[in-house]
Amino acid sequence: MDTLPTEILTVILAIVLQDTKSTNILCTSSLFRSIAQRILHQDLCFFSSSQLTKFAHVLSTGVLSLACEPQSLMLDIAGGASFKIFEGLHAVLTHIVSDPQCKRDENGRLILETLRLRLNSLTHDDHRLICTSLSKVNARHFIWTGPDPPHHFSTAIVSPAVFPLFKALATYTRLTHLHLTNIAFPSSVINPDARWTGIPCLPSLHFLYLGQATFLTAEHITDFVLRCTGQLQNSACTSKLEAHSGYVLECIRLVDVYEESIWGPRLKLPHILLASATLLAESGSSKLSSSTASDLIERLVRVDAKTERITGGDRAMPEVSST
């Protein structure tokens, strides 16, 4: 096979390497090893904490160096196996950003096309490491979903993890697509000490997807839309990156989002429209009329109901899926 053109071998090996047990193929020949390493290092994937630890170790010892600069990084960790996963991610990223061939931004962070997490944050984890590790990256696409099947309503991003997550994301200057699911937003009802000031505006963000989210109110979405379009300023959550009005937000898609727990009311578009009128009246803003704010929200926000609860509550009926 090593007589085949490199382009064909690359396609073949890319398919073979999709099976995580097939990495022994790297030992077949130096050519296979060279091509396979470029495939693996271009799109880094880790499926356990031990993989992260071992990869960080071999990078630190100099036994292995990156064959090319990474374009994407994915952590796909099942169930409760994500304990201390951000500690391992921090170690790996620390060594990657020190590699001279890797592309870094002006702050020394690794530039990635996609950073994808498919794992659970744990209530007893040190959530500060979420911000510390994610702040070593500046990604264009950021995705964090739960490891459970899509029809299982579970929480992967626990509320204490939300603060450090958005603190890190607020520093991303290249982020255009943000996709978060299985997230429990901080709630003063559950935790009286929760001081959640809202989703931070990200000047480069075009698309926001939130799915299977709880404790996300109509007021949160209204506040986010009006701030991100420069119509409302909230000093409690306005960062230096938010201090201009050049936002490019195109779409906010909310799927199976609840204003309380999953046994409470779904978030619906009429709730958001009503909240916008109330918020504008309370803020005394003269920039935007209530009708113009409604038009803006209707243009940007799409609310869908995808998964029904087995018992109780409002069902995911087709006629209300966009309201």
Side-chain angles (χ1 to χ4, degrees):
M1 283 185 66
D2 55 5
T3 60
L4 291 173
T6 302
E7 294 79 8
I8 296 178
L9 278 176
T10 301
V11 173
I12 294 172
L13 289 173
I15 295 172
V16 172
L17 289 171
Q18 290 178 10
D19 180 358
T20 57
K21 298 179 181 179
S22 63
T23 51
N24 287 336
I25 198 170
L26 274 70
C27 303
T28 305
S29 72
S30 59
L31 177 61
F32 279 21
R33 179 183 177 85
S34 174
I35 295 173
Q37 277 192 335
R38 290 189 67 85
I39 294 170
L40 293 172
H41 292 175
Q42 179 172 296
D43 297 299
L44 292 166
C45 298
F46 299 94
F47 299 94
S48 68
S49 296
S50 61
Q51 281 187 333
L52 274 172
T53 303
K54 291 176 183 177
F55 191 70
H57 176 70
V58 294
L59 288 178
S60 66
T61 58
V63 174
L64 176 70
S65 59
L66 292 172
C68 61
E69 64 179 74
Q71 296 297 313
S72 69
L73 189 153
M74 180 177 75
L75 303 184
D76 189 348
I77 315 294
S82 57
F83 181 61
K84 291 189 175 181
I85 197 68
F86 288 99
E87 184 177 317
L89 178 61
H90 180 265
V92 166
L93 290 173
T94 297
H95 294 297
I96 291 178
V97 296
S98 66
D99 192 314
Q101 71 172 318
C102 290
K103 191 181 297 182
R104 296 180 292 273
D105 67 6
E106 64 277 6
N107 295 314
R109 296 176 298 180
L110 177 67
I111 292 179
L112 288 177
E113 188 64 25
T114 303
L115 176 57
R116 176 164 190 161
L117 309 179
R118 187 173 176 268
L119 52 85
N120 290 324
S121 60
L122 305 176
T123 304
H124 53 274
D125 260 347
D126 184 353
H127 298 107
R128 293 171 298 178
L129 286 171
I130 294 177
C131 182
T132 304
S133 57
L134 296 183
S135 294
K136 286 189 168 292
V137 173
N138 195 352
R140 190 179 304 278
H141 297 76
F142 183 91
I143 304 165
W144 188 345
T145 61
D148 294 336
H151 63 280
H152 285 194
F153 205 112
S154 59
T155 299
I157 309 174
V158 296
S159 59
V162 172
F163 293 98
L165 169 63
F166 278 106
K167 183 178 179 180
L169 293 177
T171 68
Y172 284 27
T173 57
R174 305 175 66 252
L175 187 66
T176 59
H177 292 70
L178 177 57
H179 185 116
L180 303 173
T181 69
N182 308 89
I183 177 170
F185 283 89
S187 169
S188 58
V189 176
I190 302 298
N191 179 11
D193 296 327
R195 293 183 174 86
W196 177 239
T197 54
I199 302 171
C201 291
L202 307 168
S204 59
L205 190 66
H206 287 249
F207 301 97
L208 171 64
Y209 181 105
L210 296 173
Q212 289 198 6
T214 53
F215 298 102
L216 183 64
T217 66
E219 289 76 15
H220 284 140
I221 296 300
T222 297
D223 178 69
F224 176 72
V225 171
L226 297 183
R227 281 187 290 109
C228 286
T229 53
Q231 308 302 330
L232 187 69
Q233 189 173 45
N234 180 347
S235 59
C237 55
T238 300
S239 67
K240 291 181 180 179
L241 286 177
E242 294 180 55
H244 66 85
S245 58
Y247 294 103
V248 290
L249 191 63
E250 295 180 35
C251 180
I252 301 172
R253 189 175 178 201
L254 309 172
V255 180
D256 293 335
V257 173
Y258 293 84
E259 297 197 66
E260 298 172 6
S261 72
I262 63 168
W263 304 113
R266 286 182 184 268
L267 179 59
K268 297 181 180 181
L269 189 57
H271 302 172
I272 300 172
L273 295 173
L274 181 61
S276 69
T278 303
L279 186 60
L280 287 173
E282 291 177 348
S283 67
S285 175
S286 59
K287 286 186 177 182
L288 201 66
S289 68
S290 179
S291 60
T292 306
S294 295
D295 291 341
L296 179 64
I297 289 170
E298 287 184 317
R299 177 172 62 84
L300 292 177
V301 180
R302 177 181 172 185
V303 184
D304 294 312
K306 182 179 178 182
T307 305
E308 283 192 1
R309 291 180 294 228
I310 296 175
T311 59
D314 48 353
R315 298 289 183 134
M317 302 300 287
E319 63 267 24
V320 299
S321 64
S322 60
T323 58

